[in-house]
Amino acid sequence: MGDLVINELLHFCISGTNKLVDNICRLSPDLLVEACQHILTYLQGQARGVDSAEISDRFQRAGVRLDHEALQNTIRFLLITFRSAGKNNLSGDDLVLRLEEGSNKWSKASLQVLHNLWSEHGALVHAQQQVQAMLSIGQLVDIQWKLGMAVSSDTCRSLNSPYVSLLLKIIEPSGQICQRSFEMTIPQFQNFHKQFKEMAAVMETV
């Protein structure tokens, strides 16, 4: 039963990918270049987002009819493909190889367009992703604390010495929520509190 479910899921994923590839290959080389340019411009940090309405309008004027869901899936597929290629620092040949491994429905013309565009813009996308990774920081969304008596701890060595436990909830740049917890002795917590008061005083002057 488990193997049957897995096989059905695999078939669904493969058929879904092949349908996306079919939609992409319906585009003329010039139209595919235009759509990819929108996405690559965004990934290079030169645009605030990908304007799907503008891409849709261009497709319609060229006589290509895709419903809203198919259009969004096509844009998302190309975005994920280029983003993944940037993170893995793929060459144009490597990108084409991975695409061919994912589906046998690709046309030579479409692959040639993607190869040429990535060979031209891939290094810039990769560089932009490295900059974003260095500048990305998490956002604190919640903080919880409690006072306890230490039985064993790395910092509170003495039995029954008081400590403060902090639990921070942070949204990472990827959008995932993670939690970080740590313990402090009372003097450490008092110093921590003092530094927060100093930061608040500085922020009031800004």
Side-chain angles (χ1 to χ4, degrees):
M1 183 66 179
D3 291 339
L4 179 60
V5 172
I6 291 174
N7 288 335
E8 289 178 350
L9 287 173
L10 287 173
H11 175 73
F12 176 78
C13 292
I14 293 172
S15 62
T17 301
N18 286 339
K19 186 175 181 180
L20 278 169
V21 172
D22 284 337
N23 286 335
I24 293 172
C25 292
R26 286 172 54 193
L27 307 175
S28 67
D30 288 343
L31 203 57
L32 180 56
V33 167
E34 286 188 44
C36 291
Q37 288 283 13
H38 280 275
I39 296 169
L40 290 167
T41 299
Y42 164 66
L43 290 176
Q44 291 172 74
Q46 298 172 5
R48 298 182 65 180
V50 179
D51 192 341
S52 59
E54 185 175 343
I55 295 175
S56 175
D57 180 64
R58 181 66 183 90
F59 282 5
Q60 290 180 13
R61 285 189 281 112
V64 177
R65 304 295 178 183
L66 290 179
D67 59 42
H68 178 74
E69 182 179 2
L71 175 67
Q72 293 299 322
N73 287 339
T74 298
I75 294 173
R76 189 177 300 113
F77 177 84
L78 292 171
L79 180 61
I80 292 173
T81 296
F82 287 137
R83 181 176 284 155
S84 175
K87 288 182 178 179
N88 292 285
N89 201 20
L90 299 182
S91 65
D93 290 340
D94 292 334
L95 174 60
V96 168
L97 182 61
R98 289 202 178 187
L99 291 173
E100 288 178 327
E101 289 174 349
S103 173
N104 60 0
K105 299 292 185 179
W106 286 102
S107 67
K108 289 184 178 180
S110 295
L111 288 176
Q112 187 64 48
V113 167
L114 297 175
H115 180 280
N116 291 344
L117 285 171
W118 189 248
S119 297
E120 181 181 352
H121 298 279
L124 295 174
V125 172
H126 178 66
Q128 176 66 15
Q129 288 175 331
Q130 287 184 313
V131 171
Q132 289 177 334
M134 288 187 291
L135 297 178
S136 295
I137 58 175
Q139 179 181 357
L140 179 66
V141 294
D142 186 40
I143 181 170
Q144 300 176 17
W145 66 276
K146 67 178 181 179
L147 182 65
M149 301 296 290
V151 176
S152 63
S153 171
D154 292 337
T155 56
C156 304
R157 299 294 183 182
S158 302
L159 186 64
N160 294 329
S161 61
Y163 71 95
V164 176
S165 177
L166 288 176
L167 176 64
L168 309 180
K169 185 177 290 186
I170 300 168
I171 297 181
E172 296 182 335
S174 64
Q176 293 182 322
I177 297 178
C178 65
Q179 293 183 339
R180 300 285 187 268
S181 61
F182 55 94
E183 296 175 357
M184 291 184 289
T185 62
I186 297 302
Q188 287 174 330
F189 180 75
Q190 289 172 336
N191 183 56
F192 180 74
H193 178 256
K194 178 184 176 183
Q195 291 180 2
F196 258 81
K197 289 179 66 177
E198 291 174 351
M199 284 189 291
V202 171
M203 290 179 67
E204 289 178 355
T205 65
V206 176

